[in-house]
Structure formats: C-alpha cells, structure tokens
Amino acid sequence: NWYYYDIRKDFSLNILKYVGTHTETERKESIVNLGVHTAYELLNGSFLPEMWVKKAVFCRHKAIGICDRNTMAACYNLQKQCKNAGIKYVFGYSLDFVFGESKVGAKVYVQTQEGLRNLLRIQKAVMVDSEDQTIGFYELCNFGKGNVLVLDKYSSEWICNNEFPVNKFKESFDNVFYQVDLTEFKAERI
C-alpha cells in the first residue's frame, strides 16, 4: 500500500487509493482496463473483482475486463459485481500456446456467447487435457470464433518470424492484436 498525508492538516497516514474527484467532462475517451489479474490467479493476481469494479466505477469506466492466467474462477464474481455496479464486463484468459518449438503468450477475450463456449473449451484444453498447461496452435485456432486474440508483448520476434500462424489466427479469430508495451527493454529480442 502507498500512503499520503495532507501537509495542510495534522499528520495522519491515509491510504492512497481513491484520491481526488473528477467530473464527467474530464474524460472524453472511454477507457476499459482489460488487463486485470484478480486474486483468483494464485501468486500473481492482485485484488478481488469487487475492488476492481469499485475502482472502475470511481474512475467512471463503463466496463472492466479480466484476463487471469489459466483460470476463469473470477468470471462469476466479476459478472455479479459489474451487474450491481451498472458497468459492463469482459471475460478474458491469459495462456501459452505452442507452435513447433516455440511457446508464445497470448490473451483471449470473449465477444459473443459462442466465444464464451469456445473459451471454456480452451480452458479445458489448457488445464485438463495438457500436462504442461499449454494449448497447441491448431487446437487454439479451432476455438477462435467469437473471440479476440491478443498476442503477448514478448511475442514480437515470434510474430516477425512466423507469417503463416499469424495469418491463420486472423482467419480463425474475430480479431487479432499485438499488445504494445511502451517500456524500453535492454534485451535485443524484445
């Protein structure tokens, strides 16, 4: 936790969470945070969905999305919290797929009811049918309808060297994107 204190008042530590106010006119673009990892993602996630929804409401976001790695356990809780708060939800799933010798990270986001069924099939393939918690490239392509694929920020070298699978993803999924990370890395491959 980060704390602050107001130098104009007596000393007290206040948790830095929801500080400040803003009006409807302050934010002209609609922002949706799709990168939320909840506490259901063991050893990597942060807050429970109710805290993320509360923050999204405070920031006047119209929706929030989760993309826990190899679990969809938070989906029902997120759906319930968003319904109570009057905002939309987006289900997502972070995973690794295998193409040849390469293991590549990606996120899948649901767009339709068919996409949700396909995402459940992807989760079964990763968590039940696979020994190493990955999914094969062709199997992932079979479950693309109704979903959006976002290739991981570390996959740029793989994308440049593998034109066929990228084009196959474009055929299989409703949309395909690459996650841009504005961080400067020292490694040549990133």
Side-chain angles (χ1 to χ4, degrees), residues 50-62:
E50 48 265 26
M51 292 301 294
W52 281 107
V53 169
K54 185 177 176 184
K55 178 130 186 188
V57 168
F58 173 80
C59 293
R60 301 192 193 282
H61 294 176
K62 295 183 180 4

Side-chain angles (χ1 to χ4, degrees), residues 99 137 158-170:
F99 181 77
F137 166 75
W158 182 86
I159 293 169
C160 292
N161 296 330
N162 293 283
E163 187 176 335
F164 165 74
V166 172
N167 288 332
K168 181 72 173 159
F169 278 146
K170 289 179 183 178

Side-chain angles (χ1 to χ4, degrees), residues 11-54:
F11 180 79
S12 68
L13 289 176
N14 304 296
I15 190 164
L16 181 63
K17 265 193 181 176
Y18 311 113
V19 176
T21 59
H22 52 90
T23 63
E24 293 290 331
T25 58
E26 282 187 22
R27 187 175 307 272
K28 294 185 179 163
E29 299 90 27
S30 181
I31 296 173
V32 177
N33 186 354
L34 296 175
V36 172
H37 293 264
T38 69
Y40 289 92
E41 182 182 339
L42 298 177
L43 302 176
N44 190 39
S46 52
F47 297 111
L48 290 170
E50 48 265 26
M51 292 301 294
W52 281 107
V53 169
K54 185 177 176 184

Side-chain angles (χ1 to χ4, degrees), residues 118-130:
N118 282 331
L119 184 59
L120 290 169
R121 290 181 181 114
I122 289 170
Q123 184 188 14
K124 179 188 176 289
V126 171
M127 296 305 294
V128 177
D129 301 338
S130 173

